[in-house]
Amino acid sequence: MKNIKNDTILLFQNYLSTCVNTVSKTYLEKEVILNLSPAKKQIGFIITGNAKVIKTDIEGKTTIMKELKTHDIFSNLFFESFEDEIYIISTHETKVVFIDYYDTIKNCSKGCPYHNNMVFILFELLIRDYKQQNEKIELLSKRTVREKILFFLKSRMNEENIFKVTTSYTAIAEYIAVDRSNFMRELKKLEKEGQIKKENKVIKIND
């Protein structure tokens, strides 16, 4: 998945206050930032902090759709047909800038030279977010623990087929919606069968 350079994101952040109407708000830990209702077209940009996109189905089962961090963007633009409840909750104290979506798609009333660049970066960020959401939906569609693990590892490995674990295995198990003991058991099976090689926090996926 394409990474957007930090200097591009910082440039986007600087454009915000110049081009569009924004509202800043700081959320405490475990506070709901946004309920992704289709009634409101909102775009949020995380200045500092962390949050989670959580889905709750009609049976009350919750699933972490995505982890959000500083400079990540989120929106409810792509969830109009989503039946389950989706909301974003802060995991630490988090500062968010909300962007007026309709301001971004109309001509800049200030006639500033930054608006087109800001819109381009905004939609590049939104497309990245949309792709990540689709990836999570595909991940959750996998039926077995093994399929989920392999899909997760392959979607995040580098050019050398290596995945570096930057969080806990418990967090990964939670992200792919499987029990931690089942996750670790299947990981050991994959290693024993030679499909992966695990050393400390590095996992190599064999061809």
Side-chain angles (χ1 to χ4, degrees):
M1 189 172 296
K2 179 183 177 182
N3 292 321
I4 299 176
K5 295 181 180 179
N6 284 336
D7 56 353
T8 301
I9 295 174
L10 290 173
L11 192 63
F12 167 74
Q13 184 177 332
N14 291 334
Y15 287 156
L16 288 178
S17 60
T18 305
C19 297
V20 295
N21 296 323
T22 61
V23 175
S24 298
K25 186 173 180 180
T26 299
Y27 295 87
L28 301 178
E29 183 181 357
K30 295 184 179 179
E31 189 173 357
V32 174
I33 296 174
L34 179 65
N35 188 312
L36 294 179
S37 165
K40 295 181 179 180
K41 305 292 187 184
Q42 290 184 289
I43 299 169
F45 184 78
I46 296 182
I47 302 298
T48 58
N50 302 86
K52 294 179 180 179
V53 181
I54 298 176
K55 177 178 72 71
T56 302
D57 63 23
I58 57 175
E59 297 178 350
K61 180 181 178 182
T62 61
T63 302
I64 298 174
M65 295 289 291
K66 184 182 178 185
E67 303 274 356
L68 297 169
K69 59 186 184 300
T70 299
H71 294 161
D72 275 347
I73 198 167
F74 57 86
S75 174
N76 60 356
L77 294 172
F78 306 115
F79 286 86
E80 293 192 5
S81 60
F82 214 91
E83 295 181 355
D84 297 326
E85 180 184 2
I86 300 177
Y87 57 95
I88 296 172
I89 188 169
S90 58
T91 52
H92 301 86
E93 183 175 299
T94 302
K95 183 179 179 181
V96 178
V97 169
F98 287 99
I99 308 162
D100 187 329
Y101 168 70
Y102 293 103
D103 272 359
T104 66
I105 59 176
K106 65 184 181 182
N107 291 330
C108 181
S109 60
K110 300 175 184 178
C112 70
Y114 311 109
H115 192 82
N116 287 340
N117 285 334
M118 189 276 295
V119 171
F120 177 80
I121 298 171
L122 171 64
F123 279 95
E124 191 174 19
L125 288 166
L126 285 173
I127 289 170
R128 181 185 67 175
D129 179 69
Y130 179 64
K131 288 180 178 178
Q132 290 172 341
Q133 296 290 0
N134 279 347
E135 178 190 280
K136 186 58 183 285
I137 291 170
E138 186 174 353
L139 168 65
L140 295 177
S141 72
K142 303 300 180 185
R143 297 194 302 174
T144 67
V145 175
R146 172 172 294 221
E147 288 175 344
K148 288 182 178 181
I149 291 174
L150 289 174
F151 180 84
F152 175 84
L153 293 176
K154 288 177 180 179
S155 66
R156 283 161 175 75
M157 66 184 183
N158 61 22
E159 294 178 354
E160 298 175 341
N161 289 355
I162 290 174
F163 169 69
K164 295 182 179 180
V165 181
T166 58
T167 184
S168 67
Y169 286 116
T170 299
I172 295 175
E174 186 179 69
Y175 179 79
I176 66 175
V178 301
D179 180 78
R180 185 186 185 281
S181 60
N182 290 337
F183 171 80
M184 295 305 298
R185 188 182 304 115
E186 198 61 47
L187 206 61
K188 288 179 181 178
K189 286 182 181 178
L190 288 168
E191 186 177 16
K192 186 177 180 179
E193 293 170 6
Q195 294 199 47
I196 65 171
K197 181 179 180 181
K198 185 163 67 72
E199 185 175 350
N200 296 325
K201 289 285 188 176
V202 175
I203 298 175
K204 178 175 175 57
I205 305 171
N206 298 322
D207 294 331

